[in-house]
Amino acid sequence: MRILGTGSAAPKNVLTNQMLSTMVDTSDEWIVERTGIRTRHIAADDETALTMARDAATRALAAADIPASRIKLVICASVTNELRCPSLACSLQRDLGLPEEIMAFDINAACSGFIFALITASEFLKADDCALIVGSEVLSRITDYNDRSTCVLFGDGAGAAVIESSDEPLSWITTVKGDDQMLMIDDYIHMDGQAVFKFAVETLTRSIRSVTEKAGLTLAELDLIICHQANQRILASASKRLGVAMDRFFVNLAEHGNTSAASVPIALDEAVRAGLLHKDMRVILAGFGGGLTSGAIAMRWS
Ligand code: UT7
């Protein structure tokens, strides 16, 4: 699999730690120390999972610079589409004027959604085919702003990638452990923070190690690791356990907070735009979250 272009979109409105401290019993100091998050983007009334997905996907398609006729598959990962039907992916097909002779559907794998979608697409695509993969979330609409243990964490945004099949096989690994106690969403997000933290550190460490081995690489050969952005301390713990320096982990959670399925593609797009990815670099993409789910991909950037 080759990534031809990436894009992302974040709402203009920003919610700072200081603003949150006027809404619930918290402080900038606590949030920064326990999570690393300083701000998160919050959708205005007229911004939805679809409008953000459209902006991110438009940018990714422009960066990929391919005719729309090459897109054979659209997969959107989200837990916050306004409608049960049509899917985000079907609405995107219409709004972006993509061909009708394709498949388009949404998946819900929470914060691992973009990784699961990338793997699904890469296994599906035939030679010369392309796919549009999007993660888009308006988590602010399912965040309880009376609950300080969750409301400081989440933000809104979207990220997208256009991929094409390539001869190089993709190394990937996924896990699923059905559990509705640690992290569950009904009208709002409910989370046992400490239990999820422990799960996150263990699963992230294990999946990065396993996918690296599967790709025939050593941890020392990894150039950049782009993980789900949930908590700075989760990334720091994984870095320590793996013995891989923090400067090889891409981190943007101070600005965005946790954007669930949008988190990995936003981080990927920001890494691309910052000029951090070069040909032949060894890159890991990794996600973990509700389900419980986890997934990691090892790829050579081309
Ligand atoms: O995307 C899905 C994956 N999600 C995650 O990876 C999230 C994983 N979990 C976490 O990131 C962390 O567990 C949290 C950031 C949610 C919480 O941090 P923690 O260090 O695990 O805190 P805690 O839950 O153990 O709470 C410690 C204290 C408690 O007070 P007491 O009982 O010691 O008096 C909490 O009530 O901190 C209190 N607390 C807060 N204080 C100020 C919890 N939230 C806040 C807050 N501001 N926002």
Side-chain angles (χ1 to χ4, degrees):
M1 179 198 72
R2 234 158 61 84
I3 295 182
L4 299 179
T6 61
S8 61
K12 275 196 201 72
N13 290 345
V14 165
L15 180 62
T16 65
N17 290 351
Q18 165 61 28
M19 290 156 84
L20 276 166
S21 71
T22 67
M23 297 158 64
V24 282
D25 182 13
T26 190
S27 65
D28 176 54
E29 195 185 9
W30 190 94
I31 302 170
V32 172
E33 190 186 309
R34 305 308 293 169
T35 72
I37 300 167
R38 292 178 186 275
T39 61
R40 57 299 279 146
H41 294 262
I42 301 294
D45 289 347
D46 60 350
E47 288 172 307
T48 64
L50 177 59
T51 64
M52 293 190 297
R54 206 161 51 209
D55 290 346
T58 301
R59 287 169 193 150
L61 284 162
D65 196 22
I66 53 154
S69 59
R70 284 191 64 200
I71 300 284
K72 296 290 186 286
L73 173 67
V74 181
I75 308 180
C76 294
S78 182
V79 294
T80 50
N81 189 23
E82 285 71 21
L83 301 174
R84 287 192 190 178
C85 183
S87 66
L88 266 179
C90 287
S91 298
L92 270 187
Q93 179 275 337
R94 174 199 61 205
D95 290 358
L96 300 176
L98 297 175
E100 290 185 6
E101 297 75 22
I102 65 171
M103 267 214 280
F105 56 87
D106 291 359
I107 65 164
N108 170 353
C111 310
S112 309
F114 185 78
I115 302 289
F116 279 24
L118 267 187
I119 295 167
T120 304
S122 75
E123 294 289 324
F124 170 86
L125 291 180
K126 300 201 175 60
D128 295 330
D129 286 352
C130 294
L132 172 64
I133 312 298
V134 182
S136 184
E137 301 282 17
V138 268
L139 297 176
S140 60
R141 307 235 161 100
I142 54 165
T143 296
D144 177 359
Y145 287 98
N146 296 308
D147 176 7
R148 70 175 181 174
S149 69
T150 54
C151 74
V152 301
L153 303 173
F154 300 106
D156 302 336
V162 174
I163 67 166
E164 116 184 310
S165 63
S166 79
D167 292 341
E168 189 156 355
L170 189 73
S171 301
W172 55 267
I173 186 154
T174 60
T175 67
V176 175
K177 181 181 166 202
D179 178 285
D180 56 12
Q181 300 299 305
M182 285 192 217
L183 206 171
M184 190 271 281
I185 304 174
D186 45 26
D187 288 343
Y188 294 110
I189 304 169
H190 308 274
M191 188 172 69
D192 177 345
Q194 279 191 4
V196 175
F197 189 99
K198 196 163 168 268
F199 158 75
V201 172
E202 280 170 5
T203 197
L204 186 59
T205 308
R206 198 173 39 236
S207 63
I208 292 174
R209 199 188 293 283
S210 304
V211 84
T212 302
E213 273 170 26
K214 215 170 163 182
L217 298 170
T218 64
L219 292 168
E221 290 174 296
L222 300 179
D223 295 301
L224 193 63
I225 303 174
I226 301 176
C227 299
H228 171 45
Q229 307 282 308
N231 186 320
Q232 176 81 31
R233 288 188 298 130
I234 291 174
L235 301 180
S237 300
S239 150
K240 197 168 165 202
R241 285 183 182 207
L242 291 166
V244 174
M246 233 2 244
D247 64 7
R248 275 187 283 148
F249 285 76
F250 183 82
V251 185
N252 68 354
L253 54 75
E255 178 188 341
H256 293 280
N258 180 342
T259 57
S260 193
S263 148
V264 171
I266 292 174
L268 173 65
D269 182 54
E270 291 190 356
V272 169
R273 277 160 215 283
L276 298 179
L277 287 155
H278 304 288
K279 194 170 176 346
D280 290 334
M281 277 177 76
R282 300 296 190 168
V283 181
I284 302 280
L285 304 178
F288 54 85
L292 300 165
T293 56
S294 79
I297 290 172
M299 61 183 296
R300 194 206 321 238
W301 196 257
S302 56

